[in-house]
Amino acid sequence: MAGTTAAWAPDILGEPFEQLTLPLGVAGEHGDLVATLVRSIPHPLAIPFAPLRDVDVLYVHGWSDYFFQRDLARFWTQRGARFYALDLRRYGRSLREGQSPGYIDSLEDYDVDIEAALEAMGHHPAAGRRRRAHGVAKPDRPGARNGRRLVLMGHSTGGLTLTLWADRHRGRADALVLNSPWLELQLGPLGRQALAPLVDMRARLDPRGTQPAVDFGFYSRAQSEIGTLPDGEQRALWRPDRGFPTAPGWLSAVMAGHRRVAAGVDVGCPALVLLSKASTAPLSWRPSMTSTDSVLVVDDIARAATRIGGLVTLSRIRGAIHDVFLSRDRARTAAYDALDRWVNGYVVPD
């Protein structure tokens, strides 16, 4: 069973960030798997009159990624929220020597990682409360659940993971923010349906087998030109330019998530989906990749977003890249403005 056996320690991002190793009680290739929780807590003197003083935010990264976005944490802590970010098993701070980076054969397995993080944050399943009929999460009073409300925030594959988690655990989250969530395969629904039998068969026969490379490094090059690539010696291992090698078992797990979204899910709370206005196919380098999403087909994601709940706000950001908060200044400012307006409408108490 998951639990914490270590204390909070200084994080690689420096103050005010701290990290906590979360033993998951799950065996891996070389010892038991762990997740890592990173936190940034607002200064106590800034909290009493802050609009989000009763809010905890839990952020989950995307594929071939880890948490490094200081400005994103600052957005929440400046409003009084406690910010937490989770490096999932086999990612970032949680990746251990000899492990297959990012590998998973069921997205539901991440329930263990998420529950370990929520337990460390003080959010327990028994403390959840049922959403109202249409999933409106604005509280009748601040701190309606044990003094703290929960906002989930996920990028790309993390957005898919949290969407499915919120559907399975309806009533646990008060709001959901999705930054370019991977809700549909890049081939679209018809392509996914045609490819699924082959992928699922390979996943059964050789789940950790090799697959053709699908990341040619264009997204990393775009971020390098913009100037938003993470720094530090860990990046080459935790966020390689061409991404982690993929495997049939992992792809089958992701596509199973896509099928669930296509069938319709209900996250049970207000959701904000942030996307670029346009995509560029990652077939060869093009300068437009510094102002468009070169990872996902954003129009397909926008359509899929209509199936995740009853109260979904879609914000399309002109000039944004795949991680809208790592775009050029103008698009990044527009993304934060959209998030701020939505938070004021759906998270700040009346």
Side-chain angles (χ1 to χ4, degrees), residues 63 106-108 155-161 163-164 168 180-193 195-196 199-200 250-265 295-297 300-301 303-305 307-308 322:
W63 169 249
S106 171
L107 295 182
E108 290 190 26
H155 169 56
S156 197
T157 315
L160 173 63
T161 298
T163 295
L164 299 175
R168 291 193 303 273
S180 300
W182 192 13
L183 302 179
E184 180 57 271
L185 197 66
Q186 286 82 334
L187 298 175
L190 294 180
R192 169 173 49 79
Q193 292 166 16
L195 187 62
V199 171
D200 291 344
W250 169 83
L251 182 57
S252 178
V254 170
M255 292 175 66
H258 293 159
R259 285 196 296 272
R260 284 191 54 201
V261 171
V265 297
V295 177
L296 302 178
V297 180
D300 286 346
I301 304 302
R303 282 186 284 270
R307 304 186 185 97
I308 69 170
H322 180 51

Side-chain angles (χ1 to χ4, degrees), residues 63-327:
W63 169 249
S64 298
D65 212 346
Y66 66 101
F67 173 70
F68 61 89
Q69 293 90 337
R70 295 178 177 90
D71 289 344
L72 186 62
R74 193 174 299 117
F75 170 90
W76 293 101
T77 57
Q78 285 178 341
R79 290 156 178 78
R82 299 174 183 170
F83 180 86
Y84 298 84
L86 180 62
D87 278 10
L88 297 166
R89 64 181 74 182
R90 300 190 180 100
Y91 282 97
R93 298 162 179 82
S94 308
L95 181 61
R96 301 294 186 261
E97 186 176 356
Q99 293 181 347
S100 303
Y103 183 79
I104 200 81
D105 50 28
S106 171
L107 295 182
E108 290 190 26
D109 289 350
Y110 287 135
D111 282 13
V112 176
D113 307 51
I114 295 170
E115 290 295 347
L118 292 175
E119 182 178 348
M121 294 164 58
H123 289 259
H124 305 287
R129 56 184 168 87
R130 292 293 177 185
R131 303 296 93 197
R132 283 170 270 184
H134 297 288
V136 177
K138 266 195 131 175
D140 297 318
R141 56 186 175 82
R145 183 196 302 119
N146 284 0
R148 310 296 302 173
R149 290 181 289 139
L150 177 64
V151 175
L152 300 176
M153 187 172 194
H155 169 56
S156 197
T157 315
L160 173 63
T161 298
L162 287 180
T163 295
L164 299 175
W165 184 91
D167 174 62
R168 291 193 303 273
H169 302 85
R170 211 165 300 151
R172 299 281 302 279
D174 293 277
L176 176 67
V177 179
L178 302 177
N179 171 8
S180 300
W182 192 13
L183 302 179
E184 180 57 271
L185 197 66
Q186 286 82 334
L187 298 175
L190 294 180
R192 169 173 49 79
Q193 292 166 16
L195 187 62
L198 176 61
V199 171
D200 291 344
M201 180 180 68
R202 282 212 63 205
R204 289 191 295 271
L205 298 175
D206 187 18
R208 294 178 183 250
T210 58
Q211 295 187 139
V214 295
D215 186 343
F216 301 110
F218 300 137
Y219 178 49
S220 292
R221 178 176 173 180
Q223 286 183 286
S224 179
E225 294 204 5
I226 295 169
T228 54
L229 270 180
D231 53 14
E233 61 184 16
Q234 302 87 1
R235 187 183 73 80
L237 177 63
W238 294 354
R239 203 174 192 266
D241 287 344
R242 296 194 171 212
F244 296 150
T246 64
W250 169 83
L251 182 57
S252 178
V254 170
M255 292 175 66
H258 293 159
R259 285 196 296 272
R260 284 191 54 201
V261 171
V265 297
D266 183 2
V267 298
C269 62
L272 170 65
V273 179
L274 296 151
L275 293 170
S276 178
K277 284 279 288 185
S279 296
T280 297
L283 303 177
S284 62
W285 170 255
R286 299 169 68 179
S288 62
M289 290 176 171
T290 63
S291 58
T292 60
D293 191 324
S294 58
V295 177
L296 302 178
V297 180
V298 290
D299 288 345
D300 286 346
I301 304 302
R303 282 186 284 270
T306 65
R307 304 186 185 97
I308 69 170
L311 184 56
V312 180
T313 302
L314 182 64
S315 183
R316 303 288 294 269
I317 309 297
R318 186 179 301 278
I321 62 172
H322 180 51
D323 187 329
V324 300
F325 297 111
L326 298 179
S327 306

